[in-house]
Amino acid sequence: MGHPRKALRTTAVGAVSATLIAGSALGLAPTAQAAANSVRFVDIGGWGGTVLKANVVTPAGADPARRYPLLVMPTSWGLPQIEYLAQAQKLADSGYVVVTYNVRGFWQSGGEIEVAGPPDTADASKVIDWALTNTPADAEHIGMAGVSYGAGISLLAAAHDKRIKAVASLSGWADLVGSIYSGRTQHVQASALLDGASLVTGRQSTETRQVFDDFYASNLAKEPDLVAWGKKRSAVSYVDELNANGTAIMLANAWGDTVFSANQYTDFYEKLTGPKRLELRPGDHATAEITGLFGLPNDVWTDTGRWLDHYLKGEDNGVDRELPVRLKSRSTDGYEGYPDWKSVGATRSRIDLAGTTTIHTNVDSGADGGVVFLSSILDQVAKLPPVASIPLLPRRWAAVWQSERYRTAQQVRGTAKLHTTLTPTAESGTLVAYLYDVGPLGLGKLVSNAPYTFHGRTPGQSFDVDLELFSTAYDVPAGHRLAVVVDTVDPLYIEHNPSGSQLTFSSPASDPSYMSVPLREQ
């Protein structure tokens, strides 16, 4: 077992600092349009009478006899109610009534943090009720939008309230379990970030505190309860309701989101049958949207406006005729369009994981997924992902396989998949798989990674492992190789390897091991 408490303390300090800085900075967001639009700070009665602090922004010179489309925006985790003020003013300028509110349990709003539980979903409907009574909002044209926590609540609210016709879910989640417990592995840095931020800016409910504690403790007896708790808070559990409602849903996320991975959005997107759009860009959690929160030009918010204008205002702006899957590679600046997610990795190549390799556990080999937020921001801004010297990785603690050098550039698009045969010496264990772009000098740049944990296995008995790495878009230059690395320790995750245990990877002739790499069709 790893040592999550040390990681928790370290990341919580970073979360506290980041939250306070972000909250203060957003307080300086441009407010030049405030004089043009009508901005009110109001109290709204949420579910059970809980007071929600809110802002209402209406179009300048709004005609009391006219109805305007309504947009409701719940705040992000740990951020104050002025978070969306710059965008709210822009949207009001274009003819919306915008209500942004601090979700329960945070800052000045009442109640306790329920992590998008039923009270949060009910709050969104209460805010809509209030807006229809107290503003010139049109009951037939209602949408929701938000970043992170606000994105998740918007999806959940739309599944439970048929009045919501359109949603823009930015850097959010559709599957909470698949986000912070993928591969049956606790994403400890991401969880500690959320935990630390909420301790500073809000009030956790008793249930929420217990969930965090049980999550860190790795108590398998609590696993079914934790999974059930997460599914109740996941829009994918209510996809039938969303499809029945015909809600127009735009999803936007970053390839390197260390809180809510792109995979859980792409899986959810494929299940939607109504109007839908998927956008994926370089960056980490909410970093693609952040400049727009300051009122600066931002393509995520531009596309959000176009999506809402079409489905709430009926504007013929062409957004419904564009290819609905829009991607930006981490290696280039242009956007690519696809008819669906399945078309992204149109072809696949395989890296054979031949031979039998045994590694010892409990030691970090030097292959890591990076640091929450920092690593993916560096990749977004300077194209500097986490790196490792592949020839120097100690083979005692890391299994390594490499492709041949590629004669032409390889445009990796989509979800790489690992298939191997594993024989453990203990009944529980964790492995982390990495895919690296390796240059001529052996320096590997991280393309993707993902953790995998098993429990209840018979020591010495082999079993198959199938693991999807986090989806990405990355261009491997000609003359480079791809390397597959597997080790057992990564600071991003809690590991479950008993002291002294070993993992053996093999490739039986009847069931060869491989890494399947998705490539853009040339």
Side-chain angles (χ1 to χ4, degrees):
M1 191 71 72
H3 303 283
R5 290 297 178 184
K6 181 177 180 181
L8 170 61
R9 288 193 299 270
T10 302
T11 310
V13 171
V16 170
S17 302
T19 302
L20 292 177
I21 292 171
S24 300
L26 287 171
L28 303 177
T31 57
Q33 297 181 52
N37 300 314
S38 172
V39 181
R40 289 187 291 151
F41 292 84
V42 300
D43 290 349
I44 297 177
W47 180 82
T50 297
V51 174
L52 305 174
K53 297 293 183 177
N55 307 325
V56 181
V57 189
T58 54
D63 183 351
R66 180 184 168 189
R67 300 286 98 179
Y68 299 86
L70 170 65
L71 185 63
V72 174
M73 304 179 73
T75 52
S76 300
W77 186 272
L79 291 185
Q81 68 191 78
I82 59 171
E83 174 188 5
Y84 302 120
L85 191 55
Q87 284 300 322
Q89 290 166 352
K90 287 186 176 183
L91 288 161
D93 249 0
S94 67
Y96 290 89
V97 171
V98 185
V99 180
T100 77
Y101 70 96
N102 239 121
V103 291
R104 65 170 53 228
F106 284 101
W107 294 86
Q108 290 84 17
S109 282
E112 297 177 324
I113 299 168
E114 304 288 347
V115 194
D120 293 297
T121 304
D123 283 345
S125 293
K126 288 289 189 180
V127 171
I128 292 172
D129 293 342
W130 183 92
L132 294 178
T133 301
N134 295 279
T135 74
D138 185 349
E140 300 300 318
H141 298 89
I142 299 172
M144 289 192 68
V147 176
S148 184
Y149 196 39
I153 290 175
S154 294
L155 285 175
L156 289 163
H160 291 86
D161 193 327
K162 294 181 180 180
R163 295 176 296 178
I164 301 169
K165 306 301 183 184
V167 171
S169 180
L170 315 180
S171 289
W173 79 92
D175 183 350
L176 193 57
V177 179
S179 295
I180 60 175
Y181 194 53
S182 71
R184 209 177 175 187
T185 308
Q186 296 97 326
H187 296 210
V188 67
Q189 286 194 13
S191 303
L193 178 80
L194 299 173
D195 189 7
S198 65
L199 289 172
V200 172
T201 63
R203 301 165 301 283
Q204 296 179 355
S205 69
T206 300
E207 180 187 37
T208 298
R209 181 66 260 158
Q210 189 63 52
V211 164
F212 275 117
D213 290 342
D214 290 342
F215 187 79
Y216 297 134
S218 304
N219 184 351
L220 285 179
K222 295 289 187 178
E223 185 181 46
D225 293 337
L226 291 174
V227 170
W229 179 89
K231 286 184 176 180
K232 182 185 291 187
R233 291 159 169 79
S234 299
V236 70
S237 299
Y238 311 101
V239 69
D240 290 343
E241 288 85 345
L242 287 166
N243 289 335
N245 295 344
T247 314
I249 296 176
M250 172 181 159
L251 306 170
N253 206 355
W255 295 120
D257 194 319
T258 45
V259 181
F260 305 127
S261 71
N263 295 47
Q264 49 91 32
Y265 253 10
T266 61
D267 293 345
F268 176 65
Y269 175 84
E270 287 293 277
K271 293 179 173 67
L272 294 171
T273 59
K276 59 183 180 178
R277 183 180 179 94
L278 174 66
E279 300 188 357
L280 294 167
R281 300 171 173 83
D284 205 309
H285 186 61
T287 61
E289 298 90 359
I290 194 167
T291 57
L293 296 179
F294 293 91
L296 301 174
N298 181 280
D299 54 355
V300 184
W301 286 103
T302 296
D303 288 348
T304 294
R306 295 177 63 232
W307 184 257
L308 298 172
D309 286 348
H310 179 75
Y311 287 103
L312 294 182
K313 295 167 65 178
E315 290 189 5
D316 184 14
N317 54 20
V319 72
D320 58 320
R321 297 188 294 274
E322 297 172 355
L323 291 173
V325 177
R326 189 166 182 255
L327 312 181
K328 184 177 182 181
S329 169
R330 292 160 51 199
S331 308
T332 59
D333 293 327
Y335 283 92
E336 304 164 2
Y338 300 86
D340 51 40
W341 176 249
K342 295 176 183 177
S343 301
V344 172
T347 61
R348 302 190 80 90
S349 67
R350 282 176 40 150
I351 302 172
D352 292 329
L353 311 183
T356 299
T357 303
T358 298
I359 61 174
H360 295 253
T361 65
N362 305 114
V363 174
D364 191 339
S365 71
D368 287 323
V371 178
V372 64
F373 275 127
L374 177 60
S375 297
S376 292
I377 291 175
L378 285 174
D379 187 36
Q380 175 186 2
V381 174
K383 294 182 171 59
L384 293 175
V387 298
S389 175
I390 304 303
L392 297 182
L393 290 176
R395 273 28 178 197
R396 178 179 177 84
W397 296 296
V400 180
W401 300 267
Q402 295 193 73
S403 71
E404 298 296 324
R405 282 193 171 89
Y406 296 109
R407 295 182 179 179
T408 59
Q410 305 292 295
Q411 294 182 309
V412 179
R413 299 289 187 275
T415 309
K417 299 178 181 180
L418 171 73
H419 173 76
T420 190
T421 298
L422 174 62
T423 307
T425 61
E427 63 90 23
S428 292
T430 297
L431 62 88
V432 185
Y434 308 88
L435 187 64
Y436 282 98
D437 162 24
V438 185
L441 299 179
L443 186 66
K445 294 183 178 180
L446 187 65
V447 178
S448 186
N449 78 101
Y452 177 90
T453 294
F454 60 90
H455 297 289
R457 292 292 179 173
T458 302
Q461 184 172 316
S462 301
F463 62 94
D464 289 342
V465 171
D466 289 286
L467 174 63
E468 291 190 348
L469 275 62
F470 299 133
S471 302
T472 194
Y474 182 96
D475 297 352
V476 180
H480 285 212
R481 306 173 187 264
L482 280 173
V484 178
V485 178
V486 180
D487 70 3
T488 64
V489 176
D490 189 307
L492 287 173
Y493 315 113
I494 292 179
E495 49 95 2
H496 299 261
N497 297 297
S499 179
S501 63
Q502 299 176 27
L503 303 178
T504 297
F505 303 93
S506 58
S507 184
S510 60
D511 186 19
S513 297
Y514 59 86
M515 176 72 80
S516 174
V517 181
L519 300 175
R520 183 185 183 189
E521 188 172 14
Q522 300 299 307

